[in-house]
Every structure is written in structure tokens, then in C-alpha cells.
Amino acid sequence: MKINKTNAARLLDKAGIAYELIPYEVDENDLSAVHVAASLNEDINCVFKTLILHGDRNGYFVCVIPGEREVDLKLAAKASGNKKCDLIPMKDLLPLTGYIRGGCSPIGLKKPFPTYIHESCFLFPYIYISAGQRGMQLKLNPKDLIREIHAEVCALF
């Protein structure tokens, strides 16, 4: 079966970053990272999800956290230099990022936003993130991801 590369994968190719493009079965009724981890037979703690937030001072930013965790809005606001922040409404995701729910990657967003990744990413030799479409994950070294998207590593929960 031929796997078509996503824009995020092409950007990693261009940057010379090693990765694997891993397909999984999509369940339209369960777009959670927990489902993705189960489909991949992987530890949920190494399957990261991408969240888009909006702060009261600095606008939009991205948080990348393990799949079954919830972002602590106070920690996210502090990390991003905001007093408070909130997740963006779902209807704003596609126009803002170019990605849909269940397929939002921190790589290849319509425009770059400050990005924060949870410090637990260093516990694994590789992590999974969305490849930019439902049914496709990128498996890569977290250090390579951090360097490519200029992410800041911090506590987010």
C-alpha cells in the first residue's frame, strides 16, 4: 500500500529530519489520541496531541501534550506570557491552522505560532504527532520536532 506524504512530512523531508509516516484506522466517532494510541498499539504517553489556544495578551499559540492529558490553562498562559488563555472554538481550527480536528499537526500550520511542548516528551526516544490528516501519524525524535518547530519545552499540566 502506497502512503501519500502529507505537507508536514514534506516539510520534515526538506529539513532533513528522520521520521516514519504511520497510518491508522480512523474512527469518525472517536478522534481522540487514546484511540490513535490503541490503534498503533503504543503507550498513550508517547502519542501527543496538538491544541491551539488563544491568550489575552499574545494571541494564538500551540500546546503539544500527551494524548490523554488535559492542558492546564494557567500553566499554558504563564508559559506563553499571557495572564489567561483558552482553547479556540472548533469552528476556528481549519481557517486558522489549515487543519481539521483529529488531523492538526504542529508542523506546517498556515502560519507559525509560538509552540510549547510538554517536558515528558524527553521520556521517549520517539513520539507520535499528527501528520496533518486523520489516519496518519508522524513518529519522530522529540528533539528533532522541538528544533524544527522552535518549540519551548515546559510543564503544561
Side-chain angles (χ1 to χ4, degrees), residues 16-34:
I17 294 174
Y19 66 90
E20 284 181 61
L21 203 50
I22 314 269
Y24 67 92
E25 195 65 40
V26 177
D27 178 352
E28 294 294 335
N29 297 313
D30 185 2
L31 298 173
S32 71
V34 174

Side-chain angles (χ1 to χ4, degrees), residues 37-50:
S39 298
L40 299 173
N41 201 22
E42 280 286 354
D43 178 352
I44 183 60
N45 294 305
C46 73
V47 178
F48 281 61
K49 62 186 175 185
T50 304

